[in-house]
Structure formats: C-alpha cells, structure tokens
Amino acid sequence: MARAIPTIPRKSASQERSRATVEALLDATARVLTRVGYDRASTNRIAVTAGVSVGSLYQYFPNKEALVAALVARHNREILQLVRDALEEVASLDLPTAVRAMVAAALDAHLVDPTLHRIFAEQVPRMGQLAEIEALERETFQLVRTYLEKRRREISTKDLDAATSILVTTVEALTHQFVINKPDAHGDRDRFIDEVTRLLVGYLMPRRTAKRVK
Amino acid sequence: MARAIPTIPRKSASQERSRATVEALLDATARVLTRVGYDRASTNRIAVTAGVSVGSLYQYFPNKEALVAALVARHNREILQLVRDALEEVASLDLPTAVRAMVAAALDAHLVDPTLHRIFAEQVPRMGQLAEIEALERETFQLVRTYLEKRRREISTKDLDAATSILVTTVEALTHQFVINKPDAHGDRDRFIDEVTRLLVGYLMPRRTAKRVK
Amino acid sequence: MARAIPTIPRKSASQERSRATVEALLDATARVLTRVGYDRASTNRIAVTAGVSVGSLYQYFPNKEALVAALVARHNREILQLVRDALEEVASLDLPTAVRAMVAAALDAHLVDPTLHRIFAEQVPRMGQLAEIEALERETFQLVRTYLEKRRREISTKDLDAATSILVTTVEALTHQFVINKPDAHGDRDRFIDEVTRLLVGYLMPRRTAKRVK
Amino acid sequence: MARAIPTIPRKSASQERSRATVEALLDATARVLTRVGYDRASTNRIAVTAGVSVGSLYQYFPNKEALVAALVARHNREILQLVRDALEEVASLDLPTAVRAMVAAALDAHLVDPTLHRIFAEQVPRMGQLAEIEALERETFQLVRTYLEKRRREISTKDLDAATSILVTTVEALTHQFVINKPDAHGDRDRFIDEVTRLLVGYLMPRRTAKRVK
DNA sequence: CATGAATGAGTCTTCATTCAT
DNA sequence: GATGAATGAAGACTCATTCAT
C-alpha cells in the first residue's frame, strides 16, 4: 500500500482565492469608510480599493449594505473576543475588581479602531435586523449575564436581566462617549474607569458599603 | 420724547407665509422620514408632501442636510423644553426625588415622537458639526450641571463635569434603549425608572445608604 | 369694461414644453430602435438622441419598457386610424370590394414605417399585458366585427366572433409576411392583394361562386 | 482493395459525454427560459441549472444566442417531424381531408410545449439570419409545396409558391393565435379546425362547391 | 476538457440642485 | 417669490465572456 497521502483538510486553491478576495473587500470597505464616510463609499470605489472588480464584489455580497454589515460583524467579532477574554480572566475575582476590568476591556475594545467605530456609530444606518449583528449583541448579553449569575449572591438586584441590560448599555454608552470626546485623554483614562466602576458597583452591591459601615 | 413708534416685532404677511412654508416643510420632512426612511427621503418628495415646489424648498434651505438638521433642531428644542420644565419643577426637591423626576422626564421626551426619534438615532447621519445641535447638547449639559451645583453638598463626587456627563449620557442611553426595545411595555415603565434612579442616586450619594444603616 | 381677454383653453407653456419633450423622446426611441435594435437601445442613448437628459426621460417614463410601449401605442394608433378610415370608406360597398380595400389598407398600414414595424415584430418583447396595446387590438376587432355585422346576410359563417378573429389574424399575418419578405416587390402587390382577397371572400361567402355557376 | 476499415460512426465515450452535456444545456435553457423569461435567463444560471460550469457551456456554444438558437432549432425539429409525419400519412388522401389533418397537426405541433413556444414567439429576439432556423422554415415550405404539387390538378391557384406561402403563414398564424388565446379550450378545438379547413379548402379549390351545387 | 472565480463595460435609475418662466 | 421641468453626475448592479488552475 502506498504511503498515506496527506489529505489533511486544506482549503482548495480556489477557496483560498475566494477567502482572500473577501478579506480584501472588507479591508477596503474599512479603508474607504474611514476615508470618505458611509454615504460617499460606493461599491465601485471599494472594489477598486480592494484591487478587485465590482463583479467580484457582487459575487460575494448582494449589495452595499451586506458588505458593510459583514465588516461590522467582523469588527464586532474582534471586540467580542476581547470581552470574552476579559470576562474569562476575571471570572473568579470579586465583583468590584471584575467590573473595573470589564470597563477597562470595553474601553480597549472601543479603541481597537476608533475611527471605524465612530463611523459605525455615526453614519452607518442601523441594520438591527441583520441576524449576525443581533446574535453578537445577544452573546455579549449572555456572557455578562452568566458572569452575574455566578456572583448572584453578591448582587442586590434580583432581576438579572434588567441588571445585565443596564450594565451593558451603560458601559457601552459611557465608553463610547469617552472615546468620541476625548480621543487622546490618556491621563483621564483611569479616572474615567474609576467613575464608571463606582457607578456600576454602587448599583450592583449597595449594601456592601452599608454593612461595612455598620 | 418722540412718539413711540410701534416696533413690536410683528410678522408681515409675507413673513408669516414664509414661516408657514418652513413649518410645512419641516412637518413634511418628519412625515417622509418616518414613512420611507432617511435614504429614500428625497427633497422632491418632501416638497410635494409639503404642498410646495422644490424651488421653494431651496428658497428656505440651502440643501437637504440643512433641512433635516432644522427638523432635528426643532425636535430637540421640544425635548429640551421638557427637560427644562422638569428641572425647574424639581429645583427645590431632594436629589433622589429630583433624579427620579428627571429620568421620567427623559422617558417622556423620548416618547414625544418615538418613530422620528428612532429614525434620527438609526438613520440620520450624525451631523455633530452642526452648530445648533451642539448648542442644544451643551444647554442640556448646563441645565443639569447647574442643578447639581445647587445640590453640591449632597453629592459625593467632586468632579461635577464628570458627574454631569455620566448622568446625561447614561440617562440618554438607557432611556433610548428602553424605548427602542419595549415600545409598549407600559407596565415595566415604573420598574425601569426605579432601577435607573437607583443606579444614579447610588452614584451621586453613596453615603446615604451607609448613614441610614448606621 | 375691458375687452374680453381670450382665455380659450390653451396649453400652458410648461405643458407644451412637456409635450414636446415626450414627442422628442418617442421620436428618438423610434430612431434608436431602428438604428441599433431593441437590446442595444439604452435609455441614455435614447435621451441623448432626443436632445434631452436621462432625468427628463424618467420624468415621463418609469422605465425603458414603458417608453417602448408608448411608442408602440403611438404607432398602433396611427395604423388603427388608417384601418378606421378604410372601413368607413367601404362601409357601403359590397363585401368583396370591401375586403379588397381592407387588405390594401392593411398593407398600407404595414408600410407606414416598415423598419420600425419589423423591429416591433422581431425584437420587442411582447408586452401583451400592457392595457393600451390590448385596447387597440380590441378596437380593431370591434371595427371589423361591426362591419361584418352590417353585412351579416351576405356572410355564410354564423359565428361572427370566429370569423372576425380569423379575418384579422390572417390579414395581419399575411400582410406582415409580405412586407417582411418582399420589401420592394412593387409589382407583386396587386397579385398579393388578389390572392388574399380571394382567400377571405371565399371563406366569408362560399355560396357566391356556387350561385354563379348555376 | 484495402481491408475495410470500420468507420461506422460510433460515438466515443467522450463524444457521448459531450452529447449529454449539450442536451443538458438545452434542457436547462428551456427550463430557465420558461421559468424566468428571456431577459433574465443568464448563461450562468443556465449552466448552473444544467449542472455544468459556465466554462463548459462556452465549450459548446460560442455565445448566448447560439445556445438559444440551438434550442429553437431542436424544438423546430420536433415540430417539423410532426408535420412531416402528418403529410406522409395524408399523402394519398383527398385535399380537404389532407388539409384538415395538416391543421390538426399544426395545432398539435403548437401544443408540444406551449409555454416554450410562447416564449419563443414573444420574447426571443428573432434571429432570422441564423442558418439553421431558416433551413427549417424552408423545409416546411418544401414539404407543403411538394404535397400541393402532387395535387396540382385539384388546385385552382396556378402560383404554387404563393399558395404554399399563404397556406403555411395562415395556418401558423391562426394556430398560434388559437393556442395563445385559448390555452384550455378543449371543446373549441374541432370547431376551430373546421373553420380553418374551410378557409383553406375554399381557397385552394373554390370550384368544388360550385360543382356540388350543379 | 472542466471548473468557476474574476472581469468590467455597460445598464438602468435616482436625486440634489438649478433656472427659465 | 413661486414653480416645476430639466439637468446630469453618480451610484448600484448585471452578465456575457475569459482564463488560470
């Protein structure tokens, strides 16, 4: 019998080419988006920037929105990974420390590509309906909720869903606003994290302070 | 002394007609925006809806953005008035009560025209540069900050700017999210206000709980 | 009292301008159609040929098909007028003479703009659903049927609908084929008319021959 | 004399595969044509439907038109066979019976694949220039003409070419119209055939009636 | 020979804006 | 000032066809 031919599942040449094209298109979309904004980002321009023909663009994305949505999804996936890692690291720590770490992680997440993030926030029409994006939001929710569940006893609020929702929304909003308004406030970073942490910890475990005082 | 010339600013007939046209255009913009969305809202369509010719539209607004910006401004002005009134009413009340009232006011504000609000939030490209809009945001900030200043002694945080910023951003984000996700959760309303109030009061006066316990 | 100002309903300037634009567009469509065929006739090319902007084209016609359909309708209307006139002229003549005149009229109709006619026949996708075109076909049917009804006693067939249908279809098909295949057979024209007349008269009044023989 | 080399045309394996691919492509073309119409029938879609790559399609057909032309040709060949068989069967019968049989055959021919037939008639740009299609038309003409020639003495018209032309065109037009307008008029079928037969027999042998009357 | 990713010229269509009336 | 017909740049998208693998 002949020597076993290595057939480890390898992407066929064409599959790799496809993948490369898709990546090039997403990169180009990001570049064009940051350079000229959403409205002036045409599919033709994106294709040219990607070094690919418009036809190829439409081979992989049915329309402009889908293209941008895919980019958003990719971006969100990266961010989600940061959040996931952060939560994993703090899984065993006490709540205040964990919250602080999470806020820091959220801030880092917002700084992955701030320009792009800003574009997404300010210009890209919300396509909440897009399944993938919603899924990512739901996963973030779940990750946080799961963590809170483990710490349930330390938390005063009984409605975990509400607490999670408030947590996620608040962190997102404050982080976002901080990054938008102080793009280079390196010094303020820690103070900002302190404040937000205080806000959230005070919400989740108000008794703590009380008991101590007693 | 010369006879007082009546200079009480009185709109001339044509001035009034102008004003009416402008109002009609803004109303039409709102209607078209909510009906077909930002991208498909063309100036021609808006003009037709307003019962006015496109030419007239351009008589009053240099371009499409200015038109939308004016609508946003008008909408914000209404909302700001609600906030102003609310703050005035609670000026003398204690902080928890005041915060609760403000959250309620913010919620009301978001419910003035939820559909339009959603469109603004999700579809209208942010025109942060537009002077008038920025001014309104600044005024909101100032109103809240002024209130906090009066209550300074009850507040633990020393950095009032930071506190104001956090307050405004958080209330805005949570309120917005609540309205978007639960367009008809009448029952949840009070629980929502409770939670947000607790979050913010806990942040502004953490000692309170402690002292009481003692 | 001042002299009565003549207010005979006259097309306003803009209405006339509109009408002129539409006419120019239809003429251009005909020209482009005959020059490059249906498939290569683009709306942009038509607009340029008409000396009008594409935008104007779309002001009056929602799409290419509508434009072509309007042209077909205009062409059919001209042809229908020929048929109508011919039928009116022969209304009082005996059937054989009338049929011959009608065939001649049909032939003339097909020669109004043979190139265009050929394009319509060979290249333009049938849009049978278009109301106007169907209406014209129905009117032709009615005109012929009405004539036959008047001559009912001379006709052997009892089913007038069937007879009309056969008449119209046959004349149309034969005339069309003659024009297509012999674009310049001037001499054959009379012989052709003879044959078709014989075909149809033989169908409508077979007894005639018989009686004569007796 | 050299040993006879077996040249009996035998399809090689690959030749058979080729043939199968071609058939698959034609079938797919028919299916796509009937499903989405001519304009939306793209070569890519046809290839996919045929379970073949676009590249292969172009291996066998130089362009889209050739593909459709081949399908038309195949369809016409089937129809022609029906006509041929019908004429063979009636070769020895008297003219009225023969004509009736032919009309029936034409009707059957039109019902082979009415949807496809309709598409050809209404949507496919005439490609009269295509040699094969013209050849088929000429053969139909010849078949009919040959039959008429055999029956020459019974026919009054002297110009056999003209008679053939009129016969073929008329039958084609009437049959087509009948199929298009009454897709399910089972009952009318016989009456229709009667009428058309009467039309044509009356044309070919007008004396007949006369004689009878005597 | 088969494959199917890539191509890109060419379409249709929209819409903010202008300007003659 | 009002009107609305006209403009035309620009964009989204298609599809017959090619060619590297």
Side-chain angles (χ1 to χ4, degrees):
Chain A
M1 216 215 245
R3 200 155 57 77
I5 298 163
T7 43
I8 299 145
R10 190 154 44 97
K11 286 160 190 155
S12 77
S14 67
Q15 271 177 332
E16 271 195 53
R17 193 146 60 116
S18 288
R19 183 139 202 90
T21 301
V22 168
E23 286 307 310
L25 282 168
L26 292 183
D27 292 344
T29 304
R31 205 147 65 241
V32 171
L33 236 34
T34 53
R35 209 181 294 147
V36 306
Y38 180 81
D39 277 335
R40 305 188 55 212
S42 74
T43 49
N44 279 294
R45 205 200 282 241
I46 291 172
V48 168
T49 303
V52 150
S53 73
V54 222
S56 291
L57 187 159
Y58 280 93
Q59 195 111 44
Y60 296 106
F61 300 97
N63 52 47
K64 187 184 170 181
E65 280 78 44
L67 184 57
V68 175
L71 179 63
V72 172
R74 191 177 78 171
H75 185 243
N76 283 1
R77 238 176 282 129
E78 289 176 31
I79 283 184
L80 184 58
Q81 195 50 48
L82 283 182
V83 174
R84 218 174 299 175
D85 292 350
L87 279 170
E88 216 163 282
E89 277 182 39
V90 302
S92 56
L93 304 182
D94 62 278
L95 222 152
T97 315
V99 167
R100 157 174 289 272
M102 275 174 55
V103 175
L107 207 49
D108 288 344
H110 274 267
L111 290 168
V112 163
D113 190 338
T115 318
L116 196 56
H117 190 81
R118 181 171 207 152
I119 302 269
F120 287 163
E122 299 188 346
Q123 297 186 30
V124 175
R126 291 318 164 284
M127 302 160 287
Q129 53 283 42
L130 283 174
E132 195 170 6
I133 293 177
E134 276 197 330
L136 290 167
E137 285 176 357
R138 237 173 297 132
E139 190 175 348
T140 309
F141 182 93
Q142 270 312 325
L143 283 174
V144 172
R145 208 207 126 107
T146 303
Y147 174 82
L148 290 185
E149 212 145 332
K150 275 191 289 195
R151 299 278 158 177
R152 171 164 255 150
R153 276 170 315 174
E154 308 168 39
I155 295 170
S156 63
T157 323
K158 288 307 155 236
D159 186 344
L160 275 193
D161 278 347
T164 305
S165 180
I166 283 182
L167 227 74
V168 171
T169 302
T170 303
V171 169
E172 156 64 25
L174 290 173
T175 312
H176 180 71
Q177 193 243 25
F178 181 78
V179 171
I180 297 296
N181 291 333
K182 326 215 166 171
D184 31 56
H186 308 296
D188 297 344
R189 185 191 149 97
D190 285 341
R191 221 178 315 155
F192 169 76
I193 295 181
D194 281 347
E195 286 295 291
V196 179
T197 304
R198 204 158 64 68
L199 171 69
L200 298 176
V201 172
Y203 168 67
L204 291 173
M205 31 197 314
R207 307 241 169 117
R208 203 178 176 204
T209 315
K211 280 174 185 165
R212 228 182 237 154
V213 173
K214 196 167 29 167
Chain B
M1 211 214 255
R3 199 157 57 78
I5 300 164
T7 42
I8 301 146
R10 188 153 47 96
K11 288 155 192 158
S12 76
S14 70
Q15 272 176 332
E16 277 200 44
R17 191 145 62 104
S18 287
R19 181 139 203 90
T21 303
V22 168
E23 286 305 310
L25 282 168
L26 292 184
D27 291 345
T29 304
R31 203 145 69 242
V32 171
L33 236 35
T34 53
R35 210 181 294 143
V36 307
Y38 180 80
D39 278 334
R40 303 186 52 210
S42 73
T43 49
N44 278 291
R45 206 200 279 240
I46 290 170
V48 168
T49 303
V52 152
S53 72
V54 223
S56 292
L57 186 156
Y58 280 90
Q59 200 83 38
Y60 295 106
F61 299 96
N63 53 47
K64 187 188 175 181
E65 273 162 24
L67 182 58
V68 175
L71 177 63
V72 172
R74 190 177 80 171
H75 185 245
N76 284 0
R77 238 177 280 128
E78 289 177 31
I79 282 183
L80 185 57
Q81 194 51 48
L82 283 182
V83 175
R84 221 174 294 175
D85 292 351
L87 279 171
E88 215 163 284
E89 277 183 38
V90 301
S92 57
L93 305 180
D94 63 279
L95 220 151
T97 314
V99 166
R100 157 172 285 274
M102 276 175 53
V103 174
L107 207 49
D108 289 342
H110 274 267
L111 290 168
V112 164
D113 190 339
T115 316
L116 195 58
H117 189 83
R118 182 172 206 152
I119 302 269
F120 285 163
E122 298 187 348
Q123 297 184 30
V124 175
R126 290 320 163 283
M127 301 160 289
Q129 53 285 41
L130 282 172
E132 195 170 3
I133 293 177
E134 276 196 332
L136 290 166
E137 283 175 359
R138 236 173 298 133
E139 190 177 348
T140 310
F141 182 92
Q142 271 311 325
L143 283 172
V144 173
R145 208 205 125 107
T146 302
Y147 174 82
L148 290 185
E149 213 145 333
K150 274 194 287 195
R151 299 276 159 180
R152 170 165 257 150
R153 276 170 316 174
E154 306 169 39
I155 296 170
S156 65
T157 321
K158 287 310 156 232
D159 185 344
L160 273 194
D161 278 349
T164 307
S165 179
I166 282 182
L167 227 74
V168 172
T169 303
T170 303
V171 170
E172 156 63 24
L174 290 172
T175 312
H176 180 71
Q177 193 244 25
F178 182 77
V179 171
I180 296 296
N181 291 334
K182 325 213 166 169
D184 32 56
H186 309 294
D188 296 345
R189 186 190 147 94
D190 286 341
R191 221 178 314 156
F192 170 75
I193 295 181
D194 280 349
E195 286 293 292
V196 180
T197 305
R198 203 158 65 69
L199 171 69
L200 298 176
V201 172
Y203 168 66
L204 291 172
M205 28 194 318
R207 304 260 166 98
R208 211 183 169 203
T209 315
K211 279 173 185 166
R212 226 182 237 156
V213 173
K214 199 165 25 166
Chain C
M1 212 217 248
R3 204 157 54 78
I5 299 163
T7 44
I8 300 146
R10 192 157 41 99
K11 286 161 192 152
S12 77
S14 68
Q15 271 177 334
E16 271 197 52
R17 192 147 61 115
S18 289
R19 183 142 201 88
T21 301
V22 169
E23 287 306 310
L25 282 169
L26 292 183
D27 291 345
T29 304
R31 205 147 65 243
V32 171
L33 236 36
T34 53
R35 208 181 294 146
V36 307
Y38 180 81
D39 278 333
R40 304 188 53 210
S42 73
T43 49
N44 278 294
R45 204 199 284 240
I46 291 172
V48 168
T49 304
V52 150
S53 73
V54 223
S56 292
L57 186 157
Y58 279 93
Q59 195 110 47
Y60 297 105
F61 301 96
N63 52 46
K64 185 185 171 181
E65 280 79 42
L67 184 58
V68 174
L71 179 62
V72 172
R74 190 177 77 170
H75 185 245
N76 284 1
R77 239 177 280 128
E78 289 177 31
I79 283 184
L80 185 57
Q81 196 50 49
L82 283 183
V83 174
R84 222 175 303 185
D85 292 349
L87 280 170
E88 215 165 283
E89 275 182 41
V90 303
S92 57
L93 304 181
D94 62 280
L95 221 152
T97 315
V99 167
R100 156 173 290 272
M102 276 175 53
V103 174
L107 207 50
D108 288 343
H110 274 266
L111 289 168
V112 163
D113 190 339
T115 318
L116 196 57
H117 189 82
R118 181 174 206 148
I119 302 270
F120 287 163
E122 299 189 345
Q123 297 185 30
V124 175
R126 289 318 162 286
M127 304 160 284
Q129 53 284 39
L130 283 175
E132 194 169 7
I133 293 178
E134 276 197 332
L136 290 167
E137 284 176 358
R138 238 174 295 131
E139 190 175 348
T140 310
F141 182 93
Q142 272 311 325
L143 284 173
V144 172
R145 208 205 125 108
T146 303
Y147 173 82
L148 291 185
E149 211 146 333
K150 274 193 287 196
R151 299 279 157 178
R152 169 165 256 151
R153 275 169 317 173
E154 306 169 40
I155 296 171
S156 64
T157 323
K158 287 308 155 233
D159 186 345
L160 274 193
D161 278 350
T164 305
S165 179
I166 282 182
L167 226 75
V168 171
T169 302
T170 303
V171 169
E172 156 64 24
L174 291 172
T175 312
H176 180 71
Q177 192 243 24
F178 181 77
V179 171
I180 296 296
N181 291 332
K182 324 213 166 171
D184 30 55
H186 308 294
D188 297 345
R189 184 190 151 97
D190 285 342
R191 222 179 312 157
F192 169 75
I193 296 181
D194 280 349
E195 287 293 292
V196 179
T197 305
R198 205 158 63 69
L199 170 68
L200 298 175
V201 172
Y203 168 66
L204 291 172
M205 29 194 319
R207 305 257 166 99
R208 209 180 171 207
T209 316
K211 279 174 186 165
R212 224 183 241 155
V213 173
K214 195 163 34 165
Chain D
M1 214 212 251
R3 197 156 59 77
I5 298 162
T7 42
I8 300 147
R10 189 152 50 92
K11 288 157 190 155
S12 73
S14 72
Q15 270 177 333
E16 275 200 46
R17 192 145 63 103
S18 287
R19 182 139 203 92
T21 303
V22 168
E23 286 305 310
L25 282 168
L26 293 183
D27 290 345
T29 304
R31 203 146 68 241
V32 172
L33 235 36
T34 53
R35 210 181 294 145
V36 306
Y38 181 79
D39 276 335
R40 304 185 53 210
S42 73
T43 49
N44 278 291
R45 204 199 278 240
I46 291 171
V48 168
T49 304
V52 153
S53 72
V54 222
S56 292
L57 186 156
Y58 279 90
Q59 200 83 40
Y60 295 105
F61 299 97
N63 53 47
K64 187 187 174 182
E65 274 162 22
L67 182 59
V68 175
L71 178 63
V72 173
R74 189 177 79 171
H75 185 244
N76 283 1
R77 239 176 280 129
E78 289 176 32
I79 284 184
L80 184 57
Q81 195 52 48
L82 284 183
V83 174
R84 220 176 289 167
D85 292 350
L87 280 171
E88 216 165 282
E89 277 181 38
V90 302
S92 55
L93 305 180
D94 62 277
L95 222 151
T97 315
V99 166
R100 156 172 287 273
M102 275 174 55
V103 173
L107 207 50
D108 290 343
H110 274 266
L111 290 168
V112 164
D113 189 340
T115 316
L116 195 58
H117 189 81
R118 182 171 206 151
I119 301 267
F120 286 163
E122 297 187 349
Q123 296 185 29
V124 175
R126 288 322 162 286
M127 302 161 287
Q129 54 284 38
L130 283 172
E132 195 171 6
I133 293 177
E134 276 197 330
L136 290 167
E137 284 175 359
R138 236 173 296 130
E139 189 176 349
T140 310
F141 183 92
Q142 271 313 326
L143 284 173
V144 173
R145 207 204 125 107
T146 302
Y147 174 82
L148 291 186
E149 212 146 333
K150 275 193 287 194
R151 299 277 158 178
R152 169 164 257 150
R153 277 168 315 171
E154 307 169 40
I155 296 170
S156 66
T157 322
K158 285 312 154 229
D159 186 344
L160 274 193
D161 278 350
T164 305
S165 178
I166 282 183
L167 226 75
V168 171
T169 301
T170 303
V171 169
E172 155 64 25
L174 290 172
T175 312
H176 180 72
Q177 193 244 25
F178 181 78
V179 171
I180 295 297
N181 291 333
K182 326 214 165 172
D184 32 53
H186 309 295
D188 297 343
R189 183 190 150 95
D190 286 341
R191 222 178 313 155
F192 169 76
I193 294 181
D194 281 348
E195 286 294 289
V196 180
T197 303
R198 206 159 62 68
L199 170 69
L200 298 175
V201 172
Y203 168 66
L204 291 172
M205 28 195 320
R207 308 247 167 108
R208 204 181 173 204
T209 317
K211 279 173 186 162
R212 224 181 240 158
V213 173
K214 200 169 27 172

